[in-house]
Amino acid sequence: MKGVHFHVAFVLLALAFTFASAFDPSPLQDFCVAINNTNDVFVNGKFCKDPKLATANDFFFSGLNMPGNTANQLGSKVTLVTVEQILGLNTLGISLARLDFAPNGGLNPPHTHPRATEILVVWEGTLYVGFVTSNPDNRLITKVLYPGDVFVFPIGLIHFQFNIGNTNAVAISGLSSQNPGLIPIANAVFGSNPPINPDVLAKAFQLDKTVVTYLQSRF
């Protein structure tokens, strides 16, 4: 009986590790080019076309050399290159982004990527970047980056990038998912649809309710 219990426990442990996987599935072929046809059926990723029908354009994107428009409230623009832009990224567990920042305060505000670690390299300008560790420490880890510098933001942690220079800044990010996801903290908390009950936010952030309703009106 002990042997039976051991085998049962082993199988359950193996299944637990399988279910706990939160990353893109390992490819079972050289590639799996996405096809935009779900017919009301959802899969972990996208459906795949016949590999024999793949072309070079399935693995190609052009235009990342073009500056993003930073004429907005935050003074930043993120240009994504995920599976939505390159269908050949499907199942490959990687994506890319170009980040443009206006001078003197362009900001990519605090946010998380629930499905990806991010590695960022500064191409132009000077960026103040950082992330916050999880509870109970909530430790802020920051660095000022210059052209050629590289910084890593661990998966799921709140992080930001801020242009502290008086010129434009440009960075390139690699992300360890074909679809890393994005949760801007302020938008998610104060701009949810429908809105979170202001009493909840007032107590959570130790703010006056009128301040909460004002912030909700801004998002």
Side-chain angles (χ1 to χ4, degrees):
M1 287 298 291
K2 288 184 178 179
V4 173
H5 291 161
F6 172 79
H7 286 298
V8 171
F10 180 81
V11 170
L12 290 175
L13 184 62
L15 288 173
F17 276 111
T18 300
F19 293 144
S21 176
F23 299 90
D24 293 349
S26 298
L28 300 177
Q29 55 216 23
D30 286 344
F31 49 79
C32 181
V33 177
I35 181 170
N36 289 316
N37 179 20
T38 63
N39 293 322
D40 298 321
V41 176
F42 291 88
V43 296
N44 185 28
K46 288 182 175 289
F47 287 101
C48 310
K49 68 162 65 174
D50 185 338
K52 294 184 179 66
L53 302 178
T55 69
N57 283 335
D58 291 323
F59 305 92
F60 174 76
F61 176 85
S62 181
L64 213 59
N65 60 313
M66 301 296 294
N69 183 4
T70 60
N72 53 60
Q73 192 173 25
L74 294 172
S76 69
K77 171 64 176 178
V78 177
T79 303
L80 292 172
V81 186
T82 69
V83 69
E84 298 300 327
Q85 288 75 39
I86 300 181
L87 297 179
L89 284 178
N90 195 37
T91 78
L92 297 185
I94 194 169
S95 57
L96 189 70
R98 171 178 171 140
L99 295 81
D100 287 275
F101 302 86
N104 301 309
L107 173 68
N108 191 16
H111 62 279
T112 71
H113 301 295
R115 293 181 291 274
T117 291
E118 176 180 355
I119 184 167
L120 177 141
V121 57
V122 176
W123 199 253
E124 298 177 15
T126 307
L127 292 179
Y128 169 67
V129 307
F131 64 86
V132 180
T133 65
S134 58
N135 279 337
D137 294 337
N138 295 318
R139 187 160 66 99
L140 176 62
I141 297 177
T142 64
K143 188 77 174 174
V144 175
L145 304 181
Y146 303 94
D149 289 348
V150 177
F151 198 82
V152 174
F153 305 98
I155 184 171
L157 297 186
I158 295 173
H159 60 282
F160 61 87
Q161 298 98 22
F162 184 59
N163 185 2
I164 59 173
N166 56 13
T167 63
N168 292 325
V170 181
I172 300 292
S173 284
L175 300 119
S176 61
S177 173
Q178 69 180 48
N179 181 23
L182 174 66
I183 304 175
I185 304 305
N187 297 68
V189 173
F190 297 105
S192 66
N193 184 23
I196 298 173
N197 187 321
D199 292 326
V200 172
L201 298 181
K203 189 166 187 177
F205 289 92
Q206 297 295 290
L207 296 173
D208 187 273
K209 188 175 176 179
T210 57
V211 175
V212 170
T213 55
Y214 170 75
L215 290 172
Q216 288 180 317
S217 72
R218 299 287 293 172
F219 290 93

